[in-house]
Amino acid sequence: KQYLIIIVSAVLVNNYVLAKFLGICPFLGVSKKLDSAFGMSVAVTFVMALATAATWPIYTYLLVPNGLDYLQTIAFILIIAALVQFIEIVMKKYIPALHKALGIYLPLITTNCAVLGVTILNLDEGYNFLESMVNSIGSGLGFMLAMVIFSGVRSRVDAAAGSIPQGVSGHPDHTDGGCDLLCQLLWASAESLT
């Protein structure tokens, strides 16, 4: 029951993209197509699980007993970077189509703050190893949920792009003022909330 609570919380309540706004860079870059969004999500989930499996014991049995827990962030970043490089090499060899589709966003998993956030928050929450693994997999599934939902939304918006009026389409610097009005309305809305 406790593991179910952790996984549901990680996927829905404490979603790293939707609630904590972590992992936005690959989220925005790869969520245009469903297949690449799904592939990136699987890669992020895999990295989160591997990173947790590597960082939790290193922190618990190496850093803390030797009084080196202040090196946690640096050690975790190095571990995550090594794991991403390993995954990129394997993906390039065995799944070249996905490797090509993910492009530059695959190495960017190294700097994905959601991956680092999961590894650190597992320790901050006081999770044991198994709870940490469940949380990391749930967090990856939550990342996947957000990617798939927004991939669908973006594809529908792109499909409807032909029906957008001329004055509000294109780059904001090249419109007839429609975007300026929209930006002013958004700014006024944001100001009224504060």
Side-chain angles (χ1 to χ4, degrees):
K1 181 179 178 179
Q2 179 181 358
Y3 299 121
L4 182 62
I5 291 170
I6 291 172
I7 202 161
V8 169
S9 173
V11 172
L12 300 175
V13 180
N14 297 317
N15 187 297
Y16 277 82
V17 174
L18 303 175
K20 297 181 181 185
F21 301 109
L22 297 174
I24 299 295
C25 180
F27 172 75
L28 293 175
V30 185
S31 65
K32 291 179 185 174
K33 294 182 179 178
L34 182 60
D35 56 343
S36 57
F38 182 76
M40 173 61 99
S41 301
V42 170
V44 167
T45 303
F46 188 64
V47 170
M48 282 181 177
L50 280 180
T52 297
T55 57
W56 193 93
I58 287 172
Y59 180 81
T60 304
Y61 300 118
L62 182 65
L63 296 180
V64 172
N66 293 310
L68 300 171
D69 49 328
Y70 61 91
L71 294 174
Q72 169 188 6
T73 304
I74 294 170
F76 286 11
I77 290 171
L78 291 173
I79 291 166
I80 292 167
L83 288 171
V84 169
Q85 289 301 311
F86 171 73
I87 290 169
E88 184 175 16
I89 290 168
V90 169
M91 195 176 283
K92 188 174 185 178
K93 180 160 177 80
Y94 295 108
I95 316 171
L98 181 58
H99 181 267
K100 185 177 179 183
L102 295 177
I104 188 64
Y105 296 102
L106 185 59
L108 285 177
I109 294 175
T110 300
T111 58
N112 187 337
C113 54
V115 176
L116 181 62
V118 166
T119 59
I120 291 174
L121 288 173
N122 282 333
L123 299 169
D124 289 348
E125 292 292 326
Y127 290 150
N128 63 34
F129 182 76
L130 192 54
E131 291 168 341
S132 295
M133 291 301 297
V134 168
N135 185 54
S136 66
I137 292 168
S139 299
L141 293 174
F143 184 85
M144 182 182 297
L145 175 70
M147 289 282 282
V148 168
I149 287 172
F150 278 93
S151 174
V153 169
R154 283 180 80 169
S155 67
R156 293 194 64 158
V157 168
D158 288 346
S163 62
I164 297 174
Q166 180 77 24
V168 294
S169 66
H171 193 272
D173 294 340
H174 305 293
T175 61
D176 298 328
C179 185
D180 291 334
L181 176 63
L182 179 63
C183 289
Q184 289 172 1
L185 289 172
L186 289 173
W187 177 259
S189 299
E191 284 295 310
S192 69
L193 294 175
T194 57

